[in-house]
Amino acid sequence: MTPETLATGTQLTQVGISGLALGALYGVIALGFVIVYKATRVINLAHGGIALLGAYLTYNAHVTWGLPFWLSAVLAVLLCAVVSALAGRVLVNPLLGRDVHSTLMVTLGILIALEAVSASIWGTDQLNADDPWKLSTLRLAGLSLTVRDLWVLGLAAAVLLLFFLFFRYSLLGTAMRATAFHREAALAQGIAPSRIGAVAWAIAGALGGLAGIMLGTTVGGGLQPGIASSALVALSAIIVGGIDSAGGAVVGGIVIGVCQQYAAAYAPAWAGQDVASVLPYLVMLIILMVRPTGLFGTAEVRRI
C-alpha cells in the first residue's frame, strides 16, 4: 500500500466520520418529525424553526447573558420543548381531523413566524455562538478529527439510546406506541391522545433545539438563519427511512449525511458547486422509486 493510498484512505475515513456526525444530527431532527407524525399524523414543517430557535436561545443565554454554554444549551432545549408543545396544542390541535393541508400550512406558518422573530431579535448576520470546542481537533490513529464532531456523535448516540429506551420500556412510551399503532383502540383503553400529542410535540421540540445548537457551532457553519433550511434537509431523511419509522429516521439521517459529506468533498467540478445540497433529494427520489414507503416505512393497507 503506497503512502498516497494511505493518505487517500485517511481522508476518506475523516470525511466518513464527519458525514456520520452530520447524519447523526439529521437523524435526531428526523426523529422529531417521526414522533409528531406517529402521534398526530401531522408533518411538522415548523421543526426547522424550532432548531433555529434553540441555536439563538443558546447564543443569547451564553454570549449575551454570560451563562455557561452547557447551562445555556439545557435552558434552550427546555424552552424549545415548551414552545413546540404550546404551538402543537394551541395552533395545530384544533385542526386535527380536518384536511391534512390545513395542518401542513399552519406548521409552515409557524416556521415562517419563528424565522421572522429570530431575524428581528438577533439579525441575519452570522454570529459566533462561542461553543467550547470551536475549531479544536484531536489526533487519533492518524486521523485529524474535530472535537465538535466527536461531541455530536456522542450526544446523538446518547439521546437516541435514551429515546428508544423510553419509547420501549416506559409507561408513557408504551402509550405513545399504542396511540401510534391504533389511535381509537388506545383511546378505548383510557389513553388520552391529546396528552400523548403534547408529549410528542415537546420531545420533538427538545430534539430540534439540541440539533439546532450543534448546527450553530463554529464547525457547523456558525449561527445564521440558514440553520432552519439545514434542519429541513432531515425531511429527505425521514422519506428515505420511512415517515412512520423511528429507526428508519436514524438510518435515513446517516445515509443522507454521509452521502452529502462525500459529495461535498469529492464531487467532480462538472457536477457544480451545489451538488451536496441537491444530493439528499436525489437519494430520496431514488429510494422512492424502489420503495415508495421508504426503507423501513409501513405500507398502507386499504380494504375495498
Side-chain angles (χ1 to χ4, degrees):
M1 186 176 290
T2 65
E4 290 78 7
T5 304
L6 283 172
T8 301
T10 300
Q11 292 171 0
L12 287 170
T13 304
Q14 289 184 177
V15 173
I17 293 175
S18 180
L20 282 174
L22 180 61
L25 282 180
Y26 287 156
V28 170
I29 300 170
L31 186 59
F33 279 111
V34 171
I35 291 170
V36 170
Y37 180 79
K38 286 174 73 70
T40 64
R41 288 297 185 257
V42 172
I43 298 177
N44 179 24
L45 296 182
H47 203 45
I50 295 294
L52 180 68
L53 184 64
Y56 276 114
L57 287 174
T58 302
Y59 167 84
N60 199 81
H62 179 51
V63 177
T64 306
W65 296 344
L67 297 178
F69 181 84
W70 296 111
L71 177 59
S72 302
V74 171
L75 290 175
V77 167
L78 292 176
L79 284 172
C80 284
V82 172
V83 170
S84 180
L86 286 175
R89 180 67 178 267
V90 175
L91 300 176
V92 180
N93 276 11
L95 299 176
L96 293 180
R98 301 185 185 179
D99 184 4
V100 65
H101 299 96
S102 300
T103 56
L104 194 65
M105 294 307 296
V106 167
T107 60
L108 177 60
I110 297 171
L111 169 62
I112 295 172
L114 288 173
E115 289 179 319
V117 169
S118 298
S120 65
I121 296 175
W122 294 287
T124 57
D125 294 334
Q126 182 170 319
L127 302 175
N128 182 5
D130 194 29
D131 50 276
W133 45 79
K134 297 182 175 66
L135 296 174
S136 300
T137 59
L138 179 67
R139 299 289 300 183
L140 183 64
L143 302 174
S144 180
L145 308 175
T146 65
V147 175
R148 180 261 190 182
D149 282 350
L150 296 177
W151 270 105
V152 167
L153 286 170
L155 285 174
V159 167
L160 295 173
L161 177 61
L162 287 173
F163 170 77
F164 283 113
L165 289 175
F166 161 79
F167 201 57
R168 180 71 178 176
Y169 297 108
S170 70
L171 289 176
L172 190 54
T174 302
M176 291 179 69
R177 285 189 288 120
T179 303
F181 180 74
H182 200 294
R183 190 179 182 89
E184 289 74 18
L187 182 61
Q189 294 298 318
I191 298 173
S194 59
R195 180 190 175 201
I196 298 302
V199 172
W201 280 92
I203 292 175
L207 294 175
L210 177 62
I213 293 168
M214 304 307 290
L215 286 170
T217 59
T218 304
V219 179
L223 193 55
Q224 53 191 327
I227 288 174
S229 299
S230 298
L232 287 179
V233 174
L235 275 172
S236 61
I238 65 171
I239 293 175
V240 168
I243 195 169
D244 61 346
S245 172
V250 178
V251 173
I254 292 174
V255 169
I256 294 297
V258 171
C259 290
Q260 198 170 30
Q261 286 298 92
Y262 275 118
Y266 296 108
W270 56 261
Q273 296 180 347
D274 296 328
V275 63
S277 300
V278 175
L279 190 63
Y281 306 102
L282 180 60
V283 173
M284 178 186 72
L285 288 174
I286 293 172
I287 294 296
L288 286 177
M289 291 173 63
V290 179
R291 287 186 60 86
T293 59
L295 295 175
F296 302 98
T298 303
E300 183 177 357
V301 178
R302 293 186 178 181
R303 292 183 176 90
I304 58 174

